[in-house]
Amino acid sequence: MAELNLTANQVFSLKRKTLEKRLMAYYEETRDGNKIVKLLVALQVRDELCEADFSYFLKELVRHLFLKTKSTRALRRYFVYLLNCQINCNISS
């Protein structure tokens, strides 16, 4: 599963548990935080537009990406969009 082939339709239609499994498996195999962060921003849009609850989606992974991994351009660029999730996850504790 070196590639994460998710279409836009799949990102906005798959169930939460399925997306969590796929994203975690992809990250554990490739450690590609940039792609994960971009997908998390898309899932925030889904959370706002749909009735399904995607709040706090993979909050532990988000915490890990921003605190434990090397800062990249994508992490700096999308930090603002994921800041609300980080504050609500009590990242400082």
Side-chain angles (χ1 to χ4, degrees), residues 4-14 19 39 42-43 46:
L4 182 63
N5 295 323
L6 286 177
T7 64
N9 189 29
Q10 287 176 320
V11 171
F12 284 91
S13 64
L14 288 175
L19 285 170
L39 284 167
L43 290 169
R46 179 179 177 177

Side-chain angles (χ1 to χ4, degrees), residues 11-12 25 29 31 34 40-41 48 52 54 68 72 77 79-81 83 85-86 91:
V11 171
F12 284 91
E29 186 174 326
R31 298 290 185 201
N34 294 337
L40 289 171
V41 171
E48 294 297 323
F54 278 84
K68 305 289 183 184
T72 63
R77 180 177 181 184
F79 173 76
V80 174
Y81 301 109
L83 182 63
C85 176
Q86 301 225 352
I91 197 162

Side-chain angles (χ1 to χ4, degrees), residues 55-60 62-63 82-93:
S55 57
Y56 304 109
F57 187 79
L58 295 176
K59 66 180 180 180
E60 294 299 322
V62 172
R63 181 180 295 157
L82 296 171
L83 182 63
N84 187 31
C85 176
Q86 301 225 352
I87 291 171
N88 291 333
C89 293
N90 295 326
I91 197 162
S92 60
S93 57

Side-chain angles (χ1 to χ4, degrees), residues 10-85:
Q10 287 176 320
V11 171
F12 284 91
S13 64
L14 288 175
K15 292 182 180 181
R16 181 182 176 125
K17 286 187 178 188
T18 305
L19 285 170
E20 284 177 346
K21 287 179 187 176
R22 287 188 185 184
L23 291 179
M24 284 303 296
Y26 176 77
Y27 181 74
E28 288 173 0
E29 186 174 326
T30 64
R31 298 290 185 201
D32 185 7
N34 294 337
K35 194 168 196 174
I36 296 294
V37 168
K38 292 175 186 179
L39 284 167
L40 289 171
V41 171
L43 290 169
Q44 278 190 329
V45 172
R46 179 179 177 177
D47 183 44
E48 294 297 323
L49 295 177
C50 302
E51 292 181 12
D53 182 29
F54 278 84
S55 57
Y56 304 109
F57 187 79
L58 295 176
K59 66 180 180 180
E60 294 299 322
L61 180 58
V62 172
R63 181 180 295 157
H64 172 75
L65 287 173
F66 284 104
L67 292 179
K68 305 289 183 184
T69 61
K70 183 179 176 185
S71 177
T72 63
R73 182 182 293 182
L75 288 177
R76 290 188 301 269
R77 180 177 181 184
Y78 296 113
F79 173 76
V80 174
Y81 301 109
L82 296 171
L83 182 63
N84 187 31
C85 176

